Amino acid sequence: MARRTVKPLSRDWLFKQADDEDSVYRPVAQFPTNIHLDLIANGLIPDPFFAKNEKEVQWVGEKSWVYRTQFASPPIRSSSGVQRKVVLAFEGLDTYATVVLNGTEILKTDNMFIPERVEVTGLLYREDQMLNVLEITFESAFLVGKRIPEMHPGHHWGCWNGDPSRLAVRKAQYHYGWDWGPTFLTCGPWRPINIEVYESRIADLYFTTDVERSLRSATIIAKADVEGSAKAVRFEVLLKGKVVNTETVGVSEGTATAIFLTQNPELWYPAGYGLQSLYTLTARLLAGDSKEVDVESKRFGLRRANLVQRKLADVPGNTFFFEINNIPLFCGGSNWIPADSFIPRVTEEKYRDWVKLAVDGNQVMIRVWGGGIFEEQAFYDACDEMGLLVWQDFLFGCGNYPAYPEFLESVRREATASVKLLRHHPSVVIYAGNNEDYQYQESEGLDYDPEDHDPQSWLKSSFPARYIYEKLLVDVTKELVPGTYYHFGSPWGGKNTRDPTVGDIHQWNVWHGTQEKYQDFDKLIGRFVSEFGMEAFPDIETIDSYLPGGSTERYPQSSTMDFHNKAAGHERRIALYLAENMQYQLDPIEQFVYCTQLMQAECLSSAYRLWKRQWKGPGHEYCAGALVWQLNDCWPVTSWAIADYYLRPKLAYYAVKRELDSLTIGLKRTTTVAFPPDNKYSRIPLETTHKVALWATNLSTQARSVKVSVKAFNVISGAEIHQAIVGENVSLPANRSTEITEFEVPIQGTDQDEDAHVETVVAAYLHDPLSGNQLARYVNWPDPLKYVPLQQPKQLRTKIVQDGEGVEVRAEVPVKGVALEDLGGKKDSLVWADNGVDVVPGEAVVLRVKGLAVGEEERIGVRYLGF
């Protein structure tokens, strides 16, 4: 029996417009590819990301396109004369494709997420004849989709973002446009196409693992589904390249199964909690003569992963926290959208860079949002290797999806194929049925009776997609990933999506909704906050990348700048939060960009700090996670992302990183007004008290003893007006927040002016009691910042230290949000470990950096609030 061969069909591809007689075949830009990339490469459309070119290329999505290649037939007969099977394997066709081989139609597709396999043995030319011709014609997904609602007039077609027809099209929903992304209706062979030749093959390699609660042993049940007549499979379990278990078993009814028991396994942990140990499972398919005819391998990690939802004793509702290897986790992290509007050009290196950015930012979890794609393997591989937990949505978002039979069958095939591709990754710890579809149901008043448990009746309701989320996907995940928790949707809390005491919530009452103050995030808490955010402009170099040279549009309110912000009402909302919180200016644009980024940083750090405060240990896990919307962008844009399209971090990235460190200290001011006790009608306050609460959060698995100290400074004079040691050896139990003290805001002198507190900046520190090393710091300012009488520092100094790997910053007065910039013109050559920090007198803050040399102080620019 001959060995299976797999050859990529990645060469000699041409494309043209299918419905234009004058169109000629041109070479593709790359492979896999899509139509926009090929048109760009051939100079047929301008860069869609530049200026307002998005509008100029909309015609592309309403045309049909054909892709064509030629290839020689592979040897079909083995050396023994046996005819082997030849299969064309299409890993992803976007979306409505008709595939023709040598003049014969072999496949029609309508779902970009389903891989397809077609046997073509009898359609190939003989090896000594002409080349085979493979043509794939892609219809306009937009135009096909527009016709589908007309066939189902009884369904309530409605959605947020994009055209409602997208609900009927199994295509990445963000291609239709979103409130952070452009509209590009792509098509093309977006994932690889291979030609396979074999007599027998391993059709699927999969396994289940069970780590005992003691963590001292693990069971691995490995399975290989086999196509063909091969009789046995040799399984091998490897760790660090060495075989630790092996067994050869026979194939029975198309499947081979082996069970391995591993003692003292090397476990997989999230970043910051342990090593990311990865095993490899290899299956070798053996013919009757024990000759190896196929081999497949998958990496996996051994870990216990649970989502704990149990009653809280002292407050209403349940917990919602993840536990890995018996360690409860506060899951600080972010949401992920596709990294480009044109996915095929996202390289493996770029995926790794994004995941590394998240992990370097102390993030523990990333949520793959439901309006995008099931990501490429390189993304999940990177998450496995670096220890980033993955919350994986199924691909439904912000709408009322249909549930007619053909659609349900397509969804079933899509979900099955996608889960099979992802189920070996230890980083994936939860699947969720959709993004905000239950919220859409609530907003439109669509049918939903939580007491109705009959799936067939759901199909007859005005919200038939309930059948997908609560029946179809339940069945798929129960069969394929029984050990991974499935959540009906995000947000989901039971009877409604707004209940903060059950499940997860999307907290959009800052920015959207009631537009609350971000200082009040502690009043907007949920058991797990899987979305929240604040917009900010991207890096000025990113802005300049889409503005025409010498542009008159280089100001914040220009039409091009507005075009590169897709959020409805963004002008009012950015202006609202700026006006509420800080003194800002529109000119120069660089300072305005800085102000929006500082505002975003203040907003998000407030959320993390206040919600993490409610992670109070066993039985008191009042908030167990916060995932900011969003980590990344798919094009250069003003959005909620904390790093822009070019991986340039905004100030919020660093602020979130600081708040998600394993050891932090927090401060929050409160104001109490007392009225005369003998006159309940009086509106004249008897006394107003301004206090500061102080707490610390230890997310590590070890208790810590720390020295806690505070200082206070007058913002005008820079004088230190208060200093105190709160405790020499304060105990911080592991994996929780600890309340430490509360004190009145110090003020300079004996001034009893009720506004004197706005001149006081309070700094708090954690130090190691033995070494004296600083472990954490936080500087608390009066809110809102716009009332603070900020001073222009006269002695703001920067100095390169640590052999060029750090920049020391000092000032004689408190300075808010010191951001260091590269003035050297070397694009993206400086990589900062921290930025946008607060500086107080008498203290040197060192920001670590890569790319500087000693003596390059003139290369460093400084920006701060009030600059």
Side-chain angles (χ1 to χ4, degrees):
M1 186 180 292
R3 189 180 185 90
R4 180 176 75 117
T5 62
V6 179
K7 179 182 178 181
L9 293 183
S10 58
R11 301 178 61 183
D12 302 322
W13 282 93
L14 305 170
F15 79 101
K16 71 172 185 176
Q17 189 173 326
D19 49 3
D20 182 356
E21 294 181 356
D22 296 327
S23 181
V24 297
Y25 277 109
R26 300 173 186 268
V28 299
Q30 60 181 69
F31 201 88
T33 189
N34 71 26
I35 189 59
H36 290 78
L37 294 177
D38 297 329
L39 293 171
I40 294 168
N42 283 272
L44 299 178
I45 60 172
D47 178 358
F49 290 176
F50 187 71
K52 301 178 185 177
N53 286 346
E54 176 193 350
K55 295 191 292 187
E56 306 304 316
V57 302
Q58 289 306 304
W59 64 272
V60 175
E62 297 192 14
K63 300 296 181 183
S64 296
W65 302 91
V66 59
Y67 283 79
R68 181 180 189 271
T69 191
Q70 299 182 79
F71 63 94
S73 293
I76 295 178
R77 293 194 176 275
S78 66
S79 57
S80 61
V82 176
Q83 179 169 299
R84 297 181 294 169
K85 182 182 291 187
V86 183
V87 168
L88 284 178
F90 304 88
E91 294 189 19
L93 299 175
D94 176 16
T95 294
Y96 292 100
T98 301
V99 184
V100 174
L101 176 64
N102 296 334
T104 299
E105 182 181 306
I106 61 170
L107 176 67
K108 290 184 78 73
T109 71
D110 60 3
N111 188 319
M112 74 177 282
F113 308 116
I114 299 178
E116 302 282 2
R117 297 174 60 83
V118 183
E119 183 182 353
V120 295
T121 312
L123 296 177
L124 297 178
Y125 296 130
R126 291 205 319 262
E127 294 174 60
D128 56 351
Q129 291 183 330
M130 65 185 74
L131 295 175
N132 299 285
V133 178
L134 180 65
E135 288 187 349
I136 311 175
T137 301
F138 294 90
E139 293 182 77
S140 164
F142 182 76
L143 296 182
V144 172
K146 289 294 285 184
R147 294 193 289 267
I148 296 175
E150 297 175 356
M151 305 175 194
H152 302 275
H155 180 65
H156 177 96
W157 295 93
C159 64
W160 302 321
N161 296 294
D163 190 272
S165 65
R166 69 173 174 81
L167 302 170
V169 180
R170 294 314 297 151
K171 174 178 178 58
Q173 300 289 270
Y174 83 108
H175 287 170
Y176 287 79
W178 222 263
D179 55 6
W180 38 257
T183 301
F184 296 123
L185 275 298
T186 60
C187 71
W190 74 292
R191 281 182 169 162
I193 300 173
N194 298 313
I195 185 166
E196 301 181 17
V197 184
Y198 59 91
E199 292 175 63
S200 292
R201 74 177 184 110
I202 297 172
D204 194 13
L205 173 63
Y206 54 105
F207 49 85
T208 58
T209 62
D210 180 29
V211 178
E212 287 190 347
R213 182 161 185 81
S214 69
L215 308 181
R216 294 173 184 165
S217 67
T219 302
I220 305 164
I221 302 177
K223 295 189 176 187
D225 291 343
V226 175
E227 178 185 347
S229 60
K231 300 299 183 183
V233 174
R234 183 167 69 246
F235 291 100
E236 299 170 351
V237 178
L238 298 90
L239 178 64
K240 301 173 183 175
K242 295 183 179 180
V243 176
V244 294
N245 293 104
T246 184
E247 184 177 359
T248 301
V249 296
V251 178
S252 175
E253 297 183 351
T255 301
T257 304
I259 301 176
F260 301 104
L261 180 63
T262 300
Q263 299 294 337
N264 300 313
E266 294 194 18
L267 299 179
W268 184 94
Y269 285 88
Y273 292 89
L275 299 177
Q276 289 75 55
S277 298
L278 292 172
Y279 290 76
T280 299
L281 176 65
T282 297
R284 303 182 186 277
L285 184 61
L286 307 177
D289 57 0
S290 296
K291 179 181 178 181
E292 184 179 299
V293 296
D294 197 11
V295 62
E296 290 286 345
S297 292
K298 290 186 177 178
R299 291 190 312 175
F300 67 98
L302 293 172
R303 84 301 189 255
R304 289 178 61 85
N306 297 296
L307 177 63
V308 181
Q309 299 182 83
R310 63 188 176 213
K311 287 286 185 183
L312 287 160
D314 53 349
V315 295
N318 303 332
T319 65
F320 192 97
F321 68 87
F322 291 88
E323 188 178 71
I324 307 296
N325 298 333
N326 304 334
I327 302 173
L329 302 180
F330 181 89
C331 287
S334 55
N335 284 265
W336 170 266
I337 65 171
D340 205 303
S341 292
F342 311 122
I343 290 296
R345 70 177 174 189
V346 182
T347 64
E348 181 175 339
E349 179 184 19
K350 190 168 185 180
Y351 275 121
R352 295 189 64 83
D353 287 345
W354 274 115
V355 173
K356 186 176 186 300
L357 190 72
V359 173
D360 287 349
N362 295 322
Q363 298 187 30
V364 173
M365 175 175 277
I366 195 163
R367 172 175 171 247
V368 180
W369 167 76
I373 63 172
F374 296 104
E375 277 296 346
E376 302 295 336
Q377 289 295 318
F379 172 83
Y380 301 100
D381 287 343
C383 292
D384 293 345
E385 294 167 18
M386 300 185 207
L388 187 61
L389 298 177
V390 175
W391 172 313
Q392 177 68 56
D393 281 0
F394 284 97
L395 303 185
F396 305 90
C398 299
N400 186 34
Y401 286 83
Y404 50 87
E406 299 86 353
F407 188 84
L408 291 178
E409 177 58 19
S410 182
V411 168
R412 184 193 63 77
R413 291 186 64 215
E414 169 193 318
T416 299
S418 300
V419 171
K420 285 183 175 181
L421 288 171
L422 300 186
R423 60 181 168 178
H424 65 285
H425 290 287
S427 55
V428 180
V429 293
I430 182 174
Y431 292 91
N434 65 81
N435 173 78
E436 297 184 352
D437 290 358
Y438 286 102
Q439 284 191 324
Y440 184 83
Q441 169 264 316
E442 291 169 358
S443 73
E444 295 294 307
L446 303 178
D447 298 336
Y448 191 87
D449 179 2
E451 304 304 320
D452 179 2
H453 303 294
D454 177 16
Q456 293 303 313
S457 72
W458 306 340
L459 291 171
K460 301 171 186 176
S461 73
S462 59
F463 183 55
R466 180 182 182 185
Y467 183 91
I468 297 174
Y469 314 138
E470 299 183 32
K471 170 61 175 165
L472 190 154
L473 295 177
V474 170
D475 292 345
V476 169
T477 54
K478 185 176 181 180
E479 176 187 355
L480 299 178
V481 282
T484 303
Y485 183 79
Y486 171 74
H487 198 46
F488 287 167
S490 182
W492 172 257
K495 294 186 177 181
N496 67 66
T497 63
R498 301 177 301 280
D499 185 351
T501 70
V502 182
D504 71 313
I505 63 169
H506 291 186
Q507 184 48 271
W508 282 110
N509 280 321
V510 171
W511 182 270
H512 288 304
T514 54
Q515 298 180 356
E516 303 292 334
K517 297 180 185 298
Y518 59 67
Q519 291 86 350
D520 293 335
F521 265 126
D522 50 351
K523 301 174 185 176
L524 305 172
I525 195 171
R527 296 290 174 252
F528 195 105
V529 185
S530 48
E531 281 191 23
F532 69 103
M534 173 61 66
E535 277 205 351
F537 278 62
D539 188 279
I540 191 64
E541 289 196 31
T542 298
I543 292 171
D544 286 338
S545 75
Y546 65 73
L547 290 177
S551 176
T552 57
E553 294 283 287
R554 199 177 186 269
Y555 63 96
Q557 298 163 303
S558 74
S559 62
T560 302
M561 297 282 274
D562 273 354
F563 190 80
H564 281 254
N565 187 335
K566 300 299 185 180
H570 63 86
E571 305 94 335
R572 297 190 300 276
R573 289 168 185 174
I574 289 177
L576 168 68
Y577 282 100
L578 280 173
E580 278 190 344
N581 287 287
M582 62 187 61
Q583 305 167 40
Y584 70 97
Q585 56 202 75
L586 294 173
D587 186 40
I589 187 175
E590 289 83 356
Q591 186 66 12
F592 179 78
V593 168
Y594 162 84
C595 287
T596 69
Q597 290 199 11
L598 181 62
M599 176 185 68
Q600 183 191 40
E602 290 290 292
C603 172
L604 302 187
S605 61
S606 174
Y608 279 105
R609 187 163 52 253
L610 295 172
W611 291 336
K612 200 171 54 162
R613 185 184 185 184
Q614 298 304 313
W615 176 249
K616 290 184 176 290
H620 307 283
E621 303 93 344
Y622 307 124
C623 181
L627 307 179
V628 66
W629 186 271
Q630 62 216 65
L631 175 66
N632 62 319
D633 280 324
C634 68
W635 75 314
V637 64
T638 296
S639 77
W640 298 274
I642 60 174
D644 68 35
Y645 173 74
Y646 296 105
L647 285 117
R648 294 169 179 149
K650 301 178 186 178
L651 294 181
Y653 169 81
Y654 303 108
V656 170
K657 178 181 180 179
R658 291 191 292 270
E659 292 298 337
L660 291 181
D661 206 351
S662 60
L663 194 61
T664 58
I665 189 165
L667 299 169
K668 180 176 172 63
R669 300 192 186 206
T670 58
T671 299
T672 303
V673 180
F675 292 92
D678 56 349
N679 186 353
K680 66 180 180 179
Y681 302 109
S682 177
R683 58 187 175 84
I684 301 173
L686 181 67
E687 183 181 32
T688 301
T689 306
H690 303 282
K691 291 187 176 182
V692 181
L694 186 155
W695 69 94
T697 305
N698 176 13
L699 292 183
S700 76
T701 57
Q702 301 295 321
R704 298 292 299 265
S705 180
V706 296
K707 176 183 176 181
V708 183
S709 61
V710 296
K711 296 180 180 180
F713 303 88
N714 181 271
V715 75
I716 298 175
S717 67
E720 182 179 304
I721 59 175
H722 177 76
Q723 182 176 4
I725 296 175
V726 176
E728 291 283 0
N729 283 282
V730 176
S731 177
L732 300 182
N735 207 3
R736 71 193 70 180
S737 289
T738 300
E739 299 294 321
I740 297 176
T741 190
E742 185 180 50
F743 56 92
E744 288 194 25
V745 176
I747 59 174
Q748 188 168 30
T750 58
D751 189 350
Q752 295 303 307
D753 181 349
E754 69 173 53
D755 291 331
H757 67 283
V758 303
E759 296 181 7
T760 299
V761 173
V762 180
Y765 305 87
L766 301 181
H767 287 88
D768 186 291
L770 299 178
S771 68
N773 292 336
Q774 182 176 291
L775 304 174
R777 74 187 285 270
Y778 173 62
V779 181
N780 173 270
W781 294 69
D783 275 318
L785 286 166
K786 67 180 181 179
Y787 293 151
V788 180
L790 298 169
Q791 303 299 297
Q792 291 275 347
K794 296 180 176 60
Q795 300 174 35
L796 183 58
R797 302 282 187 261
T798 58
K799 178 183 177 182
I800 297 176
V801 296
Q802 300 175 354
D803 296 326
E805 295 187 359
V807 178
E808 180 183 278
V809 185
R810 294 176 180 269
E812 86 285 6
V813 293
V815 185
K816 180 67 186 176
V818 176
L820 303 186
E821 304 172 348
D822 184 7
L823 302 179
K826 301 176 182 178
K827 188 175 181 180
D828 298 329
S829 60
L830 296 188
V831 179
W832 299 96
D834 198 3
N835 216 337
V837 298
D838 298 340
V839 177
V840 294
E843 182 179 2
V845 178
V846 177
L847 304 183
R848 290 183 294 112
V849 65
K850 293 180 180 179
L852 268 180
V854 174
E856 288 191 307
E857 275 82 1
E858 75 285 348
R859 194 176 156 188
I860 302 170
V862 182
R863 199 172 293 278
Y864 51 87
L865 187 61
F867 177 77

